[in-house]
Amino acid sequence: MQELEVSLNERSYFIKIASGLLNDAGALLRGISRNNKVMLVSNPTVYSLYGQKALDSLEKAGFTVHVALMPDGEAYKNMDEALKILDEGFACGLERGSTVAALGGGVVGDLAGFAAAIYQRGIDFVQFPTTLLAQVDSSVGGKVAVNHPRGKNLIGAFHQPRLVVIDTDTLSTLEKRDYYSGLGEVFKYGIVNDESFFAYLEEQVEQIAARNKDCLAYIIYNSCRIKSEIVAADEKEEGWRAVLNLGHTFGHAIEQLTGYGSYRHGEAVAMGTMAAIYLAWDEGLLPEEEASRIKELYRKTGIPIVFPELNPEEVYQAMLNDKKVVNGRLRLILPAGIGAFTIRDDCSKEKILKAIAKAQSDCQAVKFGG
Ligand SMILES: NC(=O)c1ccc[n+]([C@@H]2O[C@H](COP(=O)([O-])OP(=O)(O)OC[C@H]3O[C@@H](n4cnc5c(N)ncnc54)[C@H](O)[C@@H]3O)[C@@H](O)[C@H]2O)c1
Ligand SMILES: [Zn+2]
C-alpha cells in the first residue's frame, strides 16, 4: 500500500492507495471515526459494481451503514439532490459524530462532501473514489460543491475529507471516455507543475492507453503527491492552488453551455487546456516547440477532444460567470513552459476569442481521439 499525507495541521489526513483496498475501507475508517454510523453515498452505476464490497467492509468493521443513492450524472450535481441526501441523513439518524462516505466519481464525491459540509454545520467525510479523475484529483483537497444553472460549482465549501481510500482495481470497469476524462486532469499536473512527470507521461503513452497497472499506480501516486503539496501550501486557493485550474475557466464555460451533459469534465478541461496553450503561445509565454509537445501528448494518448461548435463570444461570456473572475477581469492560468505557469488577468478579449477559435479549429483538424 502506498500512503501520502495531506498536511493541514489538525485537519491532516491520509490518502491510501492499493489494489483491492476497498476491502479494507471499513478497517481504515475504524481507526479515525468518532461513532459507528456511516451514510454511504453513491449512485446506482457504481453501487451495483462496488457497493456490496464497500458495505461488507464497513459492516465487518462494526459500522451501521445507511445507503443513500443519487442519480448518475453531472446534471444531478445540484442543490435538489444535495437536499435529498441531507433528508436521508436526518431520516437515518446521522449524528454530529457520524461519517458520510462517498463511493463514486467526482460527482458523487463533490455532492456527498457538500452535504457533509453543511449537515449540522459539518460532519466527518471520507472518500472512496472510483474514477481516475476522482483518484487523481477531486477526492483530495476538500473542495466540495454543487452546480447552479449560472455556472459550475458555484455553491460549495472547503471541507477536507478525513481519509481517502483509493482502490486502483475499480478503474478496470471504467468506460473509455471516463478514463480519458481523468487523464485530462493528470496531464495538467505535468504541464504546469512538474516537468519530469510530464516527461514520464510522454514516455508512457502506450502504457497509458493500455491502462497498464504499474503505470496507473505511478500516475495516481504522483498526481496525489503533487496535489497534496499544493493543497497543504494553499488550502483556500489564495495563490498557488489556482494552478490546478489550468483550462478550467474555458472548460467550465463549455460544460455550462452544453448543459452539463454532453461532455465529461476532463474532456472539457482538455479542450480548455488547448485554448490556454494557444493563448500562452500568443502571449509569448510558451515556445512553439513546447506547445507542440503538449499537443502531441494529447494526440498520442488519443484523448477525445472535439470542441463543440459554440460561438467563441458565447464561450467568453460564459467564462465571465466563472469564480475566477476578479473585479470583472478573467484570471487565467497559462503554461509558461512545461512545468511552469503564470496567472494573467490582462489578456485582451480579442486574444481570448482568438484562442477559443484556434482551439476549436485545431481540435477538429487534428482529430484528437479520432
Ligand atoms: N472537488 C474537486 O477538487 C474536483 C476536481 C476535479 C473535478 N471535480 C468534479 O468531478 C466531477 C467529474 O468527476 P468524474 O469524472 O469522476 O465523473 P462522474 O462522477 O460522473 O463519473 C463518471 C461516470 O463513471 C461512472 N463510474 C464511476 N466509477 C466507476 C467505475 N469504477 N466503473 C465504472 N463506472 C464508474 C459514474 O457512475 C459516471 O457515470 C465534476 O463534477 C467536476 O466538477 C471536482
Ligand atoms: Zn477539474
Side-chain angles (χ1 to χ4, degrees):
M1 180 169 73
Q2 290 182 295
E3 197 174 89
L4 284 158
E5 186 176 25
V6 184
S7 306
L8 288 165
N9 302 320
E10 71 286 356
R11 282 170 295 104
S12 298
Y13 55 95
F14 284 100
I15 304 166
K16 315 250 179 183
I17 309 165
S19 135
L21 202 57
L22 213 43
N23 292 318
D24 301 329
L28 291 168
L29 179 58
R30 185 81 271 165
I32 55 155
S33 65
R34 299 178 218 263
N35 77 16
N36 71 347
K37 194 160 241 172
V38 172
M39 179 162 74
L40 182 65
V41 181
S42 191
N43 71 30
T45 313
V46 180
Y47 195 77
S48 67
L49 290 165
Y50 304 106
Q52 199 58 50
K53 201 179 257 188
L55 195 60
D56 289 349
S57 161
L58 288 164
E59 286 180 343
K60 210 170 84 195
F63 290 102
T64 305
V65 186
H66 173 76
V67 177
L69 301 184
M70 66 176 285
D72 189 358
E74 178 77 36
Y76 298 97
K77 200 178 100 173
N78 60 33
M79 208 61 190
D80 286 351
E81 294 301 327
L83 285 173
K84 286 186 204 160
I85 296 294
L86 293 171
D87 279 346
E88 295 234 15
F90 296 120
C92 78
L94 212 63
E95 299 167 5
R96 299 241 21 211
S98 307
T99 301
V100 172
L103 175 72
V107 167
V108 166
D110 279 13
L111 185 130
F114 176 64
I118 59 175
Y119 187 86
Q120 296 186 3
R121 294 199 184 85
I123 64 170
D124 284 354
F125 163 54
V126 293
Q127 291 265 23
F128 305 153
T130 61
T131 61
L132 180 61
L133 182 139
Q135 297 187 351
V136 298
D137 192 352
S138 64
S139 66
V140 175
K143 275 194 184 180
V144 295
V146 293
N147 302 326
H148 183 274
R150 290 189 79 101
K152 266 274 298 182
N153 299 332
L154 288 183
I155 307 167
F158 284 96
H159 188 58
Q160 296 294 340
R162 294 203 61 230
L163 172 71
V164 181
V165 177
I166 298 179
D167 182 342
T168 51
D169 288 356
T170 59
L171 300 181
S172 63
T173 50
L174 210 54
E175 272 186 30
K176 197 170 173 184
R177 242 185 119 174
D178 292 305
Y179 177 66
Y180 282 123
S181 169
L183 289 178
E185 300 280 21
V186 168
F187 290 178
K188 79 181 175 190
Y189 294 118
I191 296 170
V192 283
N193 239 87
D194 191 328
E195 193 180 5
S196 62
F197 187 49
F198 186 89
Y200 173 86
L201 296 169
E202 278 179 319
E203 278 162 25
Q204 301 288 325
V205 275
E206 280 156 26
Q207 302 304 330
I208 292 172
R211 299 195 203 190
N212 174 288
K213 279 200 162 200
D214 294 337
C215 176
L216 275 175
Y218 183 91
I219 285 178
I220 294 165
Y221 178 84
N222 280 282
S223 299
C224 287
R225 171 185 61 77
I226 296 169
K227 181 145 186 192
S228 304
E229 284 167 14
I230 295 173
V231 168
D234 180 20
E235 184 186 9
K236 299 275 169 71
E237 199 173 307
E238 284 149 348
W240 189 24
R241 185 167 178 170
V243 67
L244 298 174
N245 297 323
L246 173 72
H248 278 61
T249 304
F250 293 99
H252 286 167
I254 294 166
E255 285 184 86
Q256 191 214 330
L257 291 171
T258 52
Y260 301 118
S262 317
Y263 293 97
R264 306 291 201 267
H265 174 70
E267 290 172 353
V269 167
M271 295 170 202
T273 302
M274 286 301 137
I277 287 164
Y278 290 120
L279 186 56
W281 168 80
D282 202 13
E283 291 281 358
L285 297 164
L286 186 67
E288 178 91 41
E289 62 275 18
E290 299 201 2
S292 301
R293 263 178 82 188
I294 299 172
K295 275 198 281 178
E296 270 305 283
L297 178 62
Y298 283 87
R299 199 186 57 77
K300 283 193 183 149
T301 30
I303 293 194
I305 321 181
V306 179
F307 220 101
E309 288 187 16
L310 297 165
N311 181 340
E313 176 69 34
E314 207 185 354
V315 177
Y316 181 82
Q317 290 306 327
M319 286 167 76
L320 290 172
N321 281 333
D322 200 70
K323 295 180 298 305
K324 280 90 205 175
V325 172
V326 181
N327 295 328
R329 301 182 78 102
L330 280 173
R331 253 175 119 236
L332 297 170
I333 310 300
L334 299 180
I338 290 170
F341 73 100
T342 180
I343 303 179
R344 292 284 293 268
D345 67 357
D346 59 349
C347 296
S348 68
K349 178 178 172 184
E350 191 198 341
K351 281 198 174 173
I352 294 173
L353 290 178
K354 211 167 106 192
I356 296 167
K358 184 84 174 78
Q360 263 174 330
S361 65
D362 211 77
C363 289
Q364 315 282 355
V366 180
K367 283 209 175 56
F368 290 101

PDB file of all heavy atoms in Angstrom, residues 177-192:
ATOM      1  N   ARG A 177     -14.337   6.638 -22.139  1.00  0.00           N
ATOM      2  CA  ARG A 177     -14.498   8.090 -22.085  1.00  0.00           C
ATOM      3  C   ARG A 177     -14.166   8.654 -20.708  1.00  0.00           C
ATOM      4  O   ARG A 177     -13.571   9.718 -20.575  1.00  0.00           O
ATOM      5  CB  ARG A 177     -15.959   8.425 -22.406  1.00  0.00           C
ATOM      6  CG  ARG A 177     -16.089   9.251 -23.641  1.00  0.00           C
ATOM      7  CD  ARG A 177     -17.497   9.660 -23.858  1.00  0.00           C
ATOM      8  NE  ARG A 177     -17.604  11.115 -23.839  1.00  0.00           N
ATOM      9  CZ  ARG A 177     -18.729  11.752 -24.115  1.00  0.00           C
ATOM     10  NH1 ARG A 177     -19.819  11.083 -24.405  1.00  0.00           N
ATOM     11  NH2 ARG A 177     -18.744  13.072 -24.092  1.00  0.00           N
ATOM     12  N   ASP A 178     -14.565   7.911 -19.682  1.00  0.00           N
ATOM     13  CA  ASP A 178     -14.306   8.384 -18.323  1.00  0.00           C
ATOM     14  C   ASP A 178     -12.831   8.241 -17.967  1.00  0.00           C
ATOM     15  O   ASP A 178     -12.278   9.054 -17.226  1.00  0.00           O
ATOM     16  CB  ASP A 178     -15.191   7.638 -17.318  1.00  0.00           C
ATOM     17  CG  ASP A 178     -16.646   8.011 -17.505  1.00  0.00           C
ATOM     18  OD1 ASP A 178     -16.944   9.219 -17.462  1.00  0.00           O
ATOM     19  OD2 ASP A 178     -17.475   7.120 -17.743  1.00  0.00           O
ATOM     20  N   TYR A 179     -12.213   7.197 -18.490  1.00  0.00           N
ATOM     21  CA  TYR A 179     -10.780   7.029 -18.266  1.00  0.00           C
ATOM     22  C   TYR A 179     -10.015   8.216 -18.877  1.00  0.00           C
ATOM     23  O   TYR A 179      -9.188   8.847 -18.237  1.00  0.00           O
ATOM     24  CB  TYR A 179     -10.330   5.699 -18.885  1.00  0.00           C
ATOM     25  CG  TYR A 179      -8.851   5.458 -18.768  1.00  0.00           C
ATOM     26  CD1 TYR A 179      -8.254   5.269 -17.515  1.00  0.00           C
ATOM     27  CD2 TYR A 179      -8.028   5.429 -19.903  1.00  0.00           C
ATOM     28  CE1 TYR A 179      -6.892   5.055 -17.407  1.00  0.00           C
ATOM     29  CE2 TYR A 179      -6.672   5.210 -19.796  1.00  0.00           C
ATOM     30  CZ  TYR A 179      -6.104   5.030 -18.551  1.00  0.00           C
ATOM     31  OH  TYR A 179      -4.755   4.831 -18.450  1.00  0.00           O
ATOM     32  N   TYR A 180     -10.350   8.542 -20.112  1.00  0.00           N
ATOM     33  CA  TYR A 180      -9.676   9.661 -20.776  1.00  0.00           C
ATOM     34  C   TYR A 180      -9.976  10.996 -20.093  1.00  0.00           C
ATOM     35  O   TYR A 180      -9.133  11.879 -20.047  1.00  0.00           O
ATOM     36  CB  TYR A 180     -10.053   9.705 -22.258  1.00  0.00           C
ATOM     37  CG  TYR A 180      -9.308   8.680 -23.067  1.00  0.00           C
ATOM     38  CD1 TYR A 180      -9.963   7.725 -23.829  1.00  0.00           C
ATOM     39  CD2 TYR A 180      -7.917   8.665 -23.055  1.00  0.00           C
ATOM     40  CE1 TYR A 180      -9.260   6.786 -24.560  1.00  0.00           C
ATOM     41  CE2 TYR A 180      -7.209   7.727 -23.775  1.00  0.00           C
ATOM     42  CZ  TYR A 180      -7.883   6.783 -24.527  1.00  0.00           C
ATOM     43  OH  TYR A 180      -7.182   5.860 -25.232  1.00  0.00           O
ATOM     44  N   SER A 181     -11.172  11.100 -19.585  1.00  0.00           N
ATOM     45  CA  SER A 181     -11.528  12.324 -18.874  1.00  0.00           C
ATOM     46  C   SER A 181     -10.594  12.529 -17.671  1.00  0.00           C
ATOM     47  O   SER A 181     -10.126  13.635 -17.398  1.00  0.00           O
ATOM     48  CB  SER A 181     -12.994  12.236 -18.433  1.00  0.00           C
ATOM     49  OG  SER A 181     -13.310  13.268 -17.547  1.00  0.00           O
ATOM     50  N   GLY A 182     -10.272  11.441 -16.982  1.00  0.00           N
ATOM     51  CA  GLY A 182      -9.336  11.515 -15.849  1.00  0.00           C
ATOM     52  C   GLY A 182      -7.950  11.925 -16.301  1.00  0.00           C
ATOM     53  O   GLY A 182      -7.260  12.710 -15.630  1.00  0.00           O
ATOM     54  N   LEU A 183      -7.551  11.436 -17.476  1.00  0.00           N
ATOM     55  CA  LEU A 183      -6.229  11.812 -17.992  1.00  0.00           C
ATOM     56  C   LEU A 183      -6.143  13.317 -18.229  1.00  0.00           C
ATOM     57  O   LEU A 183      -5.085  13.921 -18.085  1.00  0.00           O
ATOM     58  CB  LEU A 183      -5.926  11.070 -19.294  1.00  0.00           C
ATOM     59  CG  LEU A 183      -5.640   9.573 -19.182  1.00  0.00           C
ATOM     60  CD1 LEU A 183      -5.402   8.998 -20.571  1.00  0.00           C
ATOM     61  CD2 LEU A 183      -4.445   9.289 -18.280  1.00  0.00           C
ATOM     62  N   GLY A 184      -7.287  13.917 -18.595  1.00  0.00           N
ATOM     63  CA  GLY A 184      -7.324  15.366 -18.803  1.00  0.00           C
ATOM     64  C   GLY A 184      -6.814  16.108 -17.574  1.00  0.00           C
ATOM     65  O   GLY A 184      -6.112  17.118 -17.671  1.00  0.00           O
ATOM     66  N   GLU A 185      -7.128  15.596 -16.386  1.00  0.00           N
ATOM     67  CA  GLU A 185      -6.657  16.239 -15.139  1.00  0.00           C
ATOM     68  C   GLU A 185      -5.218  15.821 -14.824  1.00  0.00           C
ATOM     69  O   GLU A 185      -4.437  16.610 -14.308  1.00  0.00           O
ATOM     70  CB  GLU A 185      -7.564  15.867 -13.952  1.00  0.00           C
ATOM     71  CG  GLU A 185      -9.026  16.286 -14.101  1.00  0.00           C
ATOM     72  CD  GLU A 185      -9.294  17.755 -13.778  1.00  0.00           C
ATOM     73  OE1 GLU A 185      -8.364  18.574 -13.805  1.00  0.00           O
ATOM     74  OE2 GLU A 185     -10.476  18.078 -13.517  1.00  0.00           O
ATOM     75  N   VAL A 186      -4.859  14.574 -15.155  1.00  0.00           N
ATOM     76  CA  VAL A 186      -3.486  14.118 -14.895  1.00  0.00           C
ATOM     77  C   VAL A 186      -2.485  14.991 -15.662  1.00  0.00           C
ATOM     78  O   VAL A 186      -1.478  15.442 -15.103  1.00  0.00           O
ATOM     79  CB  VAL A 186      -3.307  12.636 -15.334  1.00  0.00           C
ATOM     80  CG1 VAL A 186      -1.840  12.240 -15.352  1.00  0.00           C
ATOM     81  CG2 VAL A 186      -4.106  11.707 -14.420  1.00  0.00           C
ATOM     82  N   PHE A 187      -2.791  15.242 -16.923  1.00  0.00           N
ATOM     83  CA  PHE A 187      -1.838  15.971 -17.759  1.00  0.00           C
ATOM     84  C   PHE A 187      -1.558  17.373 -17.225  1.00  0.00           C
ATOM     85  O   PHE A 187      -0.471  17.891 -17.370  1.00  0.00           O
ATOM     86  CB  PHE A 187      -2.339  16.048 -19.216  1.00  0.00           C
ATOM     87  CG  PHE A 187      -2.320  14.725 -19.933  1.00  0.00           C
ATOM     88  CD1 PHE A 187      -2.779  14.622 -21.242  1.00  0.00           C
ATOM     89  CD2 PHE A 187      -1.833  13.582 -19.313  1.00  0.00           C
ATOM     90  CE1 PHE A 187      -2.762  13.396 -21.912  1.00  0.00           C
ATOM     91  CE2 PHE A 187      -1.815  12.347 -19.969  1.00  0.00           C
ATOM     92  CZ  PHE A 187      -2.288  12.256 -21.271  1.00  0.00           C
ATOM     93  N   LYS A 188      -2.588  17.981 -16.609  1.00  0.00           N
ATOM     94  CA  LYS A 188      -2.379  19.362 -16.148  1.00  0.00           C
ATOM     95  C   LYS A 188      -1.259  19.434 -15.112  1.00  0.00           C
ATOM     96  O   LYS A 188      -0.512  20.401 -15.064  1.00  0.00           O
ATOM     97  CB  LYS A 188      -3.681  19.964 -15.594  1.00  0.00           C
ATOM     98  CG  LYS A 188      -4.021  19.527 -14.185  1.00  0.00           C
ATOM     99  CD  LYS A 188      -5.319  20.124 -13.668  1.00  0.00           C
ATOM    100  CE  LYS A 188      -5.643  19.541 -12.299  1.00  0.00           C
ATOM    101  NZ  LYS A 188      -6.980  19.864 -11.828  1.00  0.00           N
ATOM    102  N   TYR A 189      -1.129  18.374 -14.277  1.00  0.00           N
ATOM    103  CA  TYR A 189      -0.069  18.403 -13.257  1.00  0.00           C
ATOM    104  C   TYR A 189       1.304  18.478 -13.918  1.00  0.00           C
ATOM    105  O   TYR A 189       2.187  19.189 -13.466  1.00  0.00           O
ATOM    106  CB  TYR A 189      -0.111  17.144 -12.377  1.00  0.00           C
ATOM    107  CG  TYR A 189      -1.339  17.016 -11.505  1.00  0.00           C
ATOM    108  CD1 TYR A 189      -2.219  15.951 -11.658  1.00  0.00           C
ATOM    109  CD2 TYR A 189      -1.605  17.948 -10.512  1.00  0.00           C
ATOM    110  CE1 TYR A 189      -3.336  15.815 -10.852  1.00  0.00           C
ATOM    111  CE2 TYR A 189      -2.724  17.819  -9.701  1.00  0.00           C
ATOM    112  CZ  TYR A 189      -3.579  16.753  -9.877  1.00  0.00           C
ATOM    113  OH  TYR A 189      -4.686  16.618  -9.085  1.00  0.00           O
ATOM    114  N   GLY A 190       1.463  17.707 -14.992  1.00  0.00           N
ATOM    115  CA  GLY A 190       2.747  17.716 -15.693  1.00  0.00           C
ATOM    116  C   GLY A 190       2.962  19.038 -16.409  1.00  0.00           C
ATOM    117  O   GLY A 190       4.053  19.611 -16.353  1.00  0.00           O
ATOM    118  N   ILE A 191       1.906  19.539 -17.053  1.00  0.00           N
ATOM    119  CA  ILE A 191       2.060  20.743 -17.874  1.00  0.00           C
ATOM    120  C   ILE A 191       2.463  21.946 -17.029  1.00  0.00           C
ATOM    121  O   ILE A 191       3.386  22.673 -17.377  1.00  0.00           O
ATOM    122  CB  ILE A 191       0.752  21.059 -18.651  1.00  0.00           C
ATOM    123  CG1 ILE A 191       0.449  19.938 -19.644  1.00  0.00           C
ATOM    124  CG2 ILE A 191       0.862  22.396 -19.386  1.00  0.00           C
ATOM    125  CD1 ILE A 191      -0.932  20.007 -20.288  1.00  0.00           C
ATOM    126  N   VAL A 192       1.789  22.163 -15.927  1.00  0.00           N
ATOM    127  CA  VAL A 192       2.067  23.401 -15.183  1.00  0.00           C
ATOM    128  C   VAL A 192       2.907  23.205 -13.929  1.00  0.00           C
ATOM    129  O   VAL A 192       3.322  24.166 -13.314  1.00  0.00           O
ATOM    130  CB  VAL A 192       0.780  24.160 -14.799  1.00  0.00           C
ATOM    131  CG1 VAL A 192       0.224  24.901 -15.983  1.00  0.00           C
ATOM    132  CG2 VAL A 192      -0.257  23.242 -14.208  1.00  0.00           C
TER     133      VAL A 192
END
